[in-house]
Amino acid sequence: MKILVIGGGGREHALVWKLAQSVKVEKIWCAPGNGGIAAGAECVAVDPGDVAAIAELTQKLQPDVTVVGPELPLVNGIADVFGARNWPIVAPSRRAAQLEGSKIFSKEFLERHGLPTAKRLGTYEVASEAYAALDNVSWPLIIKADGLCAGKGVLVAKNQAEAHDFIERALEKNELGPGGKRLLFEEALEGEELSFILLTDGHRYAPMVPTRDHKRAYDGNQGPNTGGMGAYSTDALLPPELRETILRMIVEPTLHGLEADGIRYQGFLYFGLMLTKSGPQVLEFNCRLGDPEAQAIVARMDFDLAEVLADVAAGQLDPAKLKWRPGASVCLVLASGGYPGKFEAGKLLEGLAAAERVPHVKVLHAGTARRPAGTGVSLVTSGGRVLGVTATGPSLDAALASAYQAAAEIHFAGMHYRKDIGAGAAAPAAKVTKA
Ligand code: AMP
Ligand code: GLY
């Protein structure tokens, strides 16, 4: 098989790493890839959001299947373009991707199909109306920009001043871009979050192992939201009763709802859940694998990913093929100084070889680039999230110990990472299984 992977972050490195282990795979391209992906795939400098350019590339390369990592190509309709040409792809359609691309579309979907979700308090395009609504809400208030905002579109507003400032930036100063032209207000939910991701071919589905992401920048869930500072996976995140509830109350109604709305869905579907005292609720949908959740998930895969993805693209997913390693996995994100705000790139990476010598560890690259150095090449930072130190183990503690041991070997100027990934994992959801 020849496979084209679209994207260039840690999630795509995880996919390429796993695909390269398949005896069926003879060639992998990645557009655009990164400094680490270049070791396992041929990187092609094409912008993943530019669907026409990707179609041109695909015409030239003729891959047996294309797999899409990030949301932008999905929202831009890559699956529709491929579908029209009968090219095999693992990606939901443009319309399906509105579940992620528009928080209002997604809230309407949730409401229409009776799925458990935070109560909608209003939808606003006019700043004065949004300000006026603040007099009649309780705090904290959740404010969501409707469209894609690179992870900066949701505010958990503690008070009127914070809410006012966000509304002003979105609706008056246009600082969030086109994604911030409409705002959704909803009630705040309390609980632990869970990332529940499945793969579907539009007929059948197969859940991935459960994961939890750590979205805040600093230890103890302090600081701004990021794309994700680390993730872990253990089956203890999803006791059987909770799993049953999620499948019955959330997953199956969602898949039936898609069908009822005439939306064909082929690819990964991510349910961002809040495990509240009164049961799991949907915070968001993503139309893709999470990053860094994908790294933790891939580390536990015990099946031929290339074969399964080809099956999905052909509409022939066999859920029984998906087997998982017991135990736990962890992905620890090493970020640039300043991330998620401004950061400098071009910092030399050191210690990667020593880190990878730690047993059960794989260092997956996100924001790295290769730079000529003397007679060889060196690796430098090129993004906010730089590396995902990924480890497996028989227990979460064992996986964490390996990941932190490996991270201690790595250095680049300004590097920071959370020291509390996996904290609070003990008995996370056992109390919260009621529908
Ligand atoms: P979203 O992009 O919708 O997942 O929002 C990003 C993050 O904001 C989530 O992972 C939660 O931590 C938080 N969040 C979103 N909606 C709510 C809500 N209704 N109640 C509490 N926290 C929320
Ligand atoms: N880690 C959360 C996301 O990928 O959206």
Side-chain angles (χ1 to χ4, degrees):
M1 278 168 71
K2 301 191 183 97
I3 304 183
L4 172 61
V5 176
I6 308 295
R11 167 184 48 209
E12 290 75 25
H13 192 186
L15 291 170
V16 165
W17 173 53
K18 184 72 194 172
L19 290 168
Q21 293 166 29
S22 166
V23 290
K24 300 198 166 133
V25 172
E26 62 165 282
K27 175 82 193 176
I28 307 173
W29 298 277
C30 189
N34 64 36
I37 290 175
E42 183 180 335
C43 295
V44 199
V46 173
D47 172 3
D50 184 343
V51 169
I54 291 181
E56 201 175 307
L57 178 68
T58 307
Q59 176 74 50
K60 194 173 94 195
L61 302 177
Q62 302 277 320
D64 297 299
V65 62
T66 297
V67 185
V68 181
E71 59 277 18
L72 196 56
L74 304 174
V75 171
N76 289 347
I78 191 169
D80 306 68
V81 169
F82 275 55
R85 292 167 168 81
N86 263 325
W87 292 342
I89 187 165
V90 180
S93 67
R94 181 202 289 265
R95 209 166 141 233
Q98 285 301 298
L99 285 178
E100 175 168 3
S102 165
K103 301 274 189 204
I104 296 172
F105 177 95
S106 141
K107 186 60 82 181
E108 283 166 356
F109 179 90
L110 289 161
E111 290 167 350
R112 184 163 61 247
H113 298 293
L115 287 144
T117 186
K119 190 163 168 256
R120 183 213 300 239
L121 302 172
T123 306
Y124 303 96
E125 287 175 50
V126 180
S128 59
E129 291 172 14
Y131 296 138
L134 297 180
D135 291 332
N136 300 312
V137 296
S138 46
W139 308 95
L141 169 71
I142 309 296
I143 307 185
K144 297 186 173 181
D146 181 43
L148 295 181
C149 289
K152 300 197 171 72
V154 176
L155 176 72
V156 182
K158 289 193 283 297
N159 52 47
Q160 192 133 1
E162 279 185 12
H164 193 285
D165 177 64
F166 188 80
I167 295 168
E168 185 175 24
R169 290 200 295 119
L171 297 183
E172 299 206 75
K173 296 186 179 157
N174 214 1
E175 283 177 23
L176 302 185
K181 287 205 161 307
R182 289 203 295 168
L183 298 178
L184 171 71
F185 287 13
E186 69 180 37
E187 69 176 11
L189 298 174
E190 270 179 64
E192 294 283 352
E193 291 185 44
L194 180 73
S195 303
F196 188 94
I197 306 175
L198 57 77
L199 184 58
T200 176
D201 63 355
H203 310 287
R204 298 208 277 174
Y205 71 91
M208 305 290 109
V209 283
T211 45
R212 178 165 291 150
D213 183 17
H214 298 262
K215 289 210 170 72
R216 299 297 192 103
Y218 313 124
D219 288 6
N221 292 328
Q222 301 299 307
N225 262 330
T226 68
M229 291 298 291
Y232 66 93
S233 171
T234 132
D235 293 341
L237 276 170
L238 193 61
E241 198 189 332
L242 176 63
R243 180 187 157 99
E244 253 334 284
T245 304
I246 291 172
L247 294 181
R248 183 168 44 84
M249 300 288 297
I250 294 176
V251 168
E252 285 169 9
T254 297
L255 297 176
H256 290 142
L258 287 167
E259 206 179 337
D261 291 350
I263 299 174
R264 185 165 155 75
Y265 200 107
Q266 215 165 51
F268 292 98
L269 177 56
Y270 171 132
F271 299 79
L273 304 177
M274 186 71 95
L275 306 177
T276 74
K277 284 204 191 86
S278 54
Q281 306 245 349
V282 181
L283 291 179
E284 64 164 341
F285 291 115
N286 290 320
C287 292
R288 51 177 175 81
L289 280 165
D291 185 337
E293 289 95 327
Q295 293 86 316
I297 288 170
V298 163
R300 293 190 58 195
M301 284 180 178
D302 201 8
F303 57 89
D304 187 325
L305 180 63
E307 182 182 328
V308 166
L309 293 177
D311 289 350
V312 168
Q316 288 170 353
L317 172 65
D318 176 1
K321 283 189 188 171
L322 285 86
K323 304 261 196 274
W324 301 94
R325 297 203 175 106
S329 62
V330 169
C331 174
L332 183 65
V333 171
L334 311 187
S336 291
Y339 175 81
K342 282 206 184 85
F343 58 85
E344 280 177 35
K347 309 292 183 199
L348 187 67
L349 292 172
E350 292 169 298
L352 294 183
E356 293 218 276
R357 278 196 294 270
V358 177
H360 316 297
V361 167
K362 172 73 187 173
V363 179
L364 295 167
H365 293 228
T368 74
R370 292 178 169 224
R371 195 167 67 182
T375 53
V377 289
S378 60
L379 279 161
V380 296
T381 65
S382 67
R385 292 190 290 176
V386 177
L387 298 167
V389 179
T390 304
T392 51
S395 66
L396 181 56
D397 283 344
L400 284 166
S402 299
Y404 279 108
Q405 186 190 338
E409 299 286 347
I410 298 174
H411 175 78
F412 55 88
M415 173 173 112
H416 71 98
Y417 58 94
R418 281 182 61 162
K419 309 294 188 300
D420 65 346
I421 299 304
K431 311 180 291 295
V432 205
T433 49
K434 208 164 95 265

PDB file of all heavy atoms in Angstrom, residues 7-14 33-34 37 291 295 365-367:
ATOM      1  N   GLY A   7      -1.105  16.577   7.083  1.00  0.00           N
ATOM      2  CA  GLY A   7      -0.883  17.247   8.365  1.00  0.00           C
ATOM      3  C   GLY A   7       0.591  17.205   8.730  1.00  0.00           C
ATOM      4  O   GLY A   7       1.386  16.538   8.045  1.00  0.00           O
ATOM      5  N   GLY A   8       0.954  17.880   9.799  1.00  0.00           N
ATOM      6  CA  GLY A   8       2.376  17.923  10.141  1.00  0.00           C
ATOM      7  C   GLY A   8       2.621  18.139  11.627  1.00  0.00           C
ATOM      8  O   GLY A   8       3.572  18.794  12.021  1.00  0.00           O
ATOM      9  N   GLY A   9       1.759  17.556  12.459  1.00  0.00           N
ATOM     10  CA  GLY A   9       1.941  17.696  13.905  1.00  0.00           C
ATOM     11  C   GLY A   9       2.244  16.370  14.556  1.00  0.00           C
ATOM     12  O   GLY A   9       2.558  15.378  13.878  1.00  0.00           O
ATOM     13  N   GLY A  10       2.131  16.345  15.881  1.00  0.00           N
ATOM     14  CA  GLY A  10       2.420  15.136  16.634  1.00  0.00           C
ATOM     15  C   GLY A  10       1.462  14.008  16.293  1.00  0.00           C
ATOM     16  O   GLY A  10       1.851  12.839  16.246  1.00  0.00           O
ATOM     17  N   ARG A  11       0.203  14.360  16.073  1.00  0.00           N
ATOM     18  CA  ARG A  11      -0.795  13.351  15.697  1.00  0.00           C
ATOM     19  C   ARG A  11      -0.392  12.651  14.399  1.00  0.00           C
ATOM     20  O   ARG A  11      -0.471  11.422  14.274  1.00  0.00           O
ATOM     21  CB  ARG A  11      -2.148  14.055  15.527  1.00  0.00           C
ATOM     22  CG  ARG A  11      -3.232  13.243  14.857  1.00  0.00           C
ATOM     23  CD  ARG A  11      -4.483  14.115  14.679  1.00  0.00           C
ATOM     24  NE  ARG A  11      -4.137  15.404  14.109  1.00  0.00           N
ATOM     25  CZ  ARG A  11      -4.807  16.539  14.332  1.00  0.00           C
ATOM     26  NH1 ARG A  11      -5.865  16.556  15.086  1.00  0.00           N
ATOM     27  NH2 ARG A  11      -4.402  17.667  13.779  1.00  0.00           N
ATOM     28  N   GLU A  12       0.053  13.440  13.432  1.00  0.00           N
ATOM     29  CA  GLU A  12       0.425  12.844  12.136  1.00  0.00           C
ATOM     30  C   GLU A  12       1.710  12.030  12.261  1.00  0.00           C
ATOM     31  O   GLU A  12       1.872  11.012  11.578  1.00  0.00           O
ATOM     32  CB  GLU A  12       0.562  13.930  11.070  1.00  0.00           C
ATOM     33  CG  GLU A  12      -0.772  14.558  10.676  1.00  0.00           C
ATOM     34  CD  GLU A  12      -1.329  15.537  11.712  1.00  0.00           C
ATOM     35  OE1 GLU A  12      -0.515  16.096  12.480  1.00  0.00           O
ATOM     36  OE2 GLU A  12      -2.560  15.739  11.768  1.00  0.00           O
ATOM     37  N   HIS A  13       2.630  12.465  13.149  1.00  0.00           N
ATOM     38  CA  HIS A  13       3.832  11.642  13.354  1.00  0.00           C
ATOM     39  C   HIS A  13       3.425  10.291  13.943  1.00  0.00           C
ATOM     40  O   HIS A  13       3.939   9.240  13.544  1.00  0.00           O
ATOM     41  CB  HIS A  13       4.842  12.342  14.262  1.00  0.00           C
ATOM     42  CG  HIS A  13       6.197  11.681  14.266  1.00  0.00           C
ATOM     43  ND1 HIS A  13       7.218  12.051  15.081  1.00  0.00           N
ATOM     44  CD2 HIS A  13       6.676  10.633  13.532  1.00  0.00           C
ATOM     45  CE1 HIS A  13       8.278  11.257  14.857  1.00  0.00           C
ATOM     46  NE2 HIS A  13       7.964  10.395  13.922  1.00  0.00           N
ATOM     47  N   ALA A  14       2.460  10.325  14.880  1.00  0.00           N
ATOM     48  CA  ALA A  14       1.982   9.068  15.476  1.00  0.00           C
ATOM     49  C   ALA A  14       1.414   8.155  14.377  1.00  0.00           C
ATOM     50  O   ALA A  14       1.708   6.954  14.329  1.00  0.00           O
ATOM     51  CB  ALA A  14       0.935   9.356  16.542  1.00  0.00           C
ATOM     52  N   GLY A  33       4.213  17.284   6.823  1.00  0.00           N
ATOM     53  CA  GLY A  33       5.154  16.561   7.675  1.00  0.00           C
ATOM     54  C   GLY A  33       5.934  17.499   8.576  1.00  0.00           C
ATOM     55  O   GLY A  33       5.605  18.683   8.689  1.00  0.00           O
ATOM     56  N   ASN A  34       6.969  16.957   9.226  1.00  0.00           N
ATOM     57  CA  ASN A  34       7.840  17.776  10.082  1.00  0.00           C
ATOM     58  C   ASN A  34       9.187  17.082  10.223  1.00  0.00           C
ATOM     59  O   ASN A  34       9.425  16.050   9.576  1.00  0.00           O
ATOM     60  CB  ASN A  34       7.168  18.050  11.440  1.00  0.00           C
ATOM     61  CG  ASN A  34       6.937  16.784  12.267  1.00  0.00           C
ATOM     62  OD1 ASN A  34       7.748  15.850  12.249  1.00  0.00           O
ATOM     63  ND2 ASN A  34       5.822  16.745  12.984  1.00  0.00           N
ATOM     64  N   ILE A  37       8.827  13.361  11.256  1.00  0.00           N
ATOM     65  CA  ILE A  37       8.092  12.549  10.282  1.00  0.00           C
ATOM     66  C   ILE A  37       9.001  12.199   9.112  1.00  0.00           C
ATOM     67  O   ILE A  37       8.895  11.112   8.524  1.00  0.00           O
ATOM     68  CB  ILE A  37       6.825  13.312   9.808  1.00  0.00           C
ATOM     69  CG1 ILE A  37       5.813  13.389  10.959  1.00  0.00           C
ATOM     70  CG2 ILE A  37       6.210  12.647   8.577  1.00  0.00           C
ATOM     71  CD1 ILE A  37       4.573  14.227  10.669  1.00  0.00           C
ATOM     72  N   ASP A 291      -5.165  15.770  19.230  1.00  0.00           N
ATOM     73  CA  ASP A 291      -3.717  15.878  19.355  1.00  0.00           C
ATOM     74  C   ASP A 291      -3.490  16.592  20.683  1.00  0.00           C
ATOM     75  O   ASP A 291      -3.913  17.739  20.813  1.00  0.00           O
ATOM     76  CB  ASP A 291      -3.175  16.709  18.184  1.00  0.00           C
ATOM     77  CG  ASP A 291      -1.662  16.781  18.169  1.00  0.00           C
ATOM     78  OD1 ASP A 291      -1.044  16.594  19.226  1.00  0.00           O
ATOM     79  OD2 ASP A 291      -1.093  17.043  17.094  1.00  0.00           O
ATOM     80  N   GLN A 295      -1.574  10.406  19.971  1.00  0.00           N
ATOM     81  CA  GLN A 295      -0.288   9.790  20.303  1.00  0.00           C
ATOM     82  C   GLN A 295      -0.481   8.703  21.355  1.00  0.00           C
ATOM     83  O   GLN A 295       0.111   7.621  21.275  1.00  0.00           O
ATOM     84  CB  GLN A 295       0.701  10.863  20.804  1.00  0.00           C
ATOM     85  CG  GLN A 295       1.136  11.877  19.749  1.00  0.00           C
ATOM     86  CD  GLN A 295       0.214  13.068  19.580  1.00  0.00           C
ATOM     87  OE1 GLN A 295      -1.009  12.921  19.536  1.00  0.00           O
ATOM     88  NE2 GLN A 295       0.785  14.265  19.461  1.00  0.00           N
ATOM     89  N   HIS A 365       7.359  13.873  17.016  1.00  0.00           N
ATOM     90  CA  HIS A 365       7.645  15.288  16.751  1.00  0.00           C
ATOM     91  C   HIS A 365       6.384  16.049  16.350  1.00  0.00           C
ATOM     92  O   HIS A 365       5.543  15.531  15.623  1.00  0.00           O
ATOM     93  CB  HIS A 365       8.655  15.411  15.615  1.00  0.00           C
ATOM     94  CG  HIS A 365      10.012  14.892  15.960  1.00  0.00           C
ATOM     95  ND1 HIS A 365      11.166  15.593  15.707  1.00  0.00           N
ATOM     96  CD2 HIS A 365      10.401  13.741  16.569  1.00  0.00           C
ATOM     97  CE1 HIS A 365      12.219  14.890  16.122  1.00  0.00           C
ATOM     98  NE2 HIS A 365      11.768  13.753  16.649  1.00  0.00           N
ATOM     99  N   ALA A 366       6.288  17.286  16.800  1.00  0.00           N
ATOM    100  CA  ALA A 366       5.178  18.154  16.392  1.00  0.00           C
ATOM    101  C   ALA A 366       5.773  19.359  15.666  1.00  0.00           C
ATOM    102  O   ALA A 366       5.834  19.381  14.437  1.00  0.00           O
ATOM    103  CB  ALA A 366       4.363  18.553  17.612  1.00  0.00           C
ATOM    104  N   GLY A 367       6.285  20.331  16.427  1.00  0.00           N
ATOM    105  CA  GLY A 367       6.893  21.510  15.785  1.00  0.00           C
ATOM    106  C   GLY A 367       8.392  21.382  15.729  1.00  0.00           C
ATOM    107  O   GLY A 367       9.120  22.045  16.481  1.00  0.00           O
TER     108      GLY A 367
END
